[in-house]
């Protein structure tokens, strides 16, 4: 709940120009969450609760990483110009 509130406030107060770097940082943090979830599942392989919680965490973080990369890619394409570069002499 606290993470949702902090995330909402950060996104709301950051200028749109800085959303792309913020999205990239969020992708990196989600990658850390994936590694932590995999470690959690591997540390207690016989615990059903740990396996279920770890699997849900891996699926949620992975979908967030993949979605974040697609959104970041789309945002970066918006900054590219469609005109060919003129030859400077």
């Amino acid at each position: 709940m606290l993470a949702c509130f902090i995330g909402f406030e950060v996104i709301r107060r950051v200028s749109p120009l800085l959303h792309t770097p913020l999205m990239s940082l969020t992708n990196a943090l989600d990658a850390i969450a994936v590694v932590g979830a995999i470690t959690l599942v591997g540390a207690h392989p016989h615990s059903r609760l740990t396996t279920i919680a770890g699997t849900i965490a891996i699926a949620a973080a992975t979908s967030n990483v993949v979605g974040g990369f697609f959104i970041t890619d789309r945002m970066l394409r918006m900054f590219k110009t469609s005109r060919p570069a003129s030859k400077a002499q």
Side-chain angles (χ1 to χ4, degrees), residues 5-87:
F5 176 73
I6 291 173
F8 178 75
E9 288 297 317
V10 167
I11 293 295
R12 191 171 67 110
R13 293 177 191 255
V14 170
S15 72
L17 189 62
L18 295 176
H19 280 190
T20 302
L22 185 63
M23 185 69 82
S24 298
L25 177 66
T26 305
N27 287 343
L29 293 176
D30 283 334
I32 293 171
V34 169
V35 171
I38 290 171
T39 304
L40 178 69
V41 171
H44 304 284
H46 301 293
S47 172
R48 180 173 291 189
L49 178 63
T50 304
T51 303
I52 292 171
T55 303
I56 291 171
I58 290 169
T62 301
S63 69
N64 203 8
V65 167
V66 171
F69 277 118
F70 280 121
I71 291 172
T72 301
D73 184 54
R74 183 174 178 205
M75 290 175 74
L76 289 175
R77 275 191 270 146
M78 291 171 57
F79 290 111
K80 291 182 180 176
T81 58
S82 59
R83 293 180 291 164
S86 63
K87 295 182 180 180

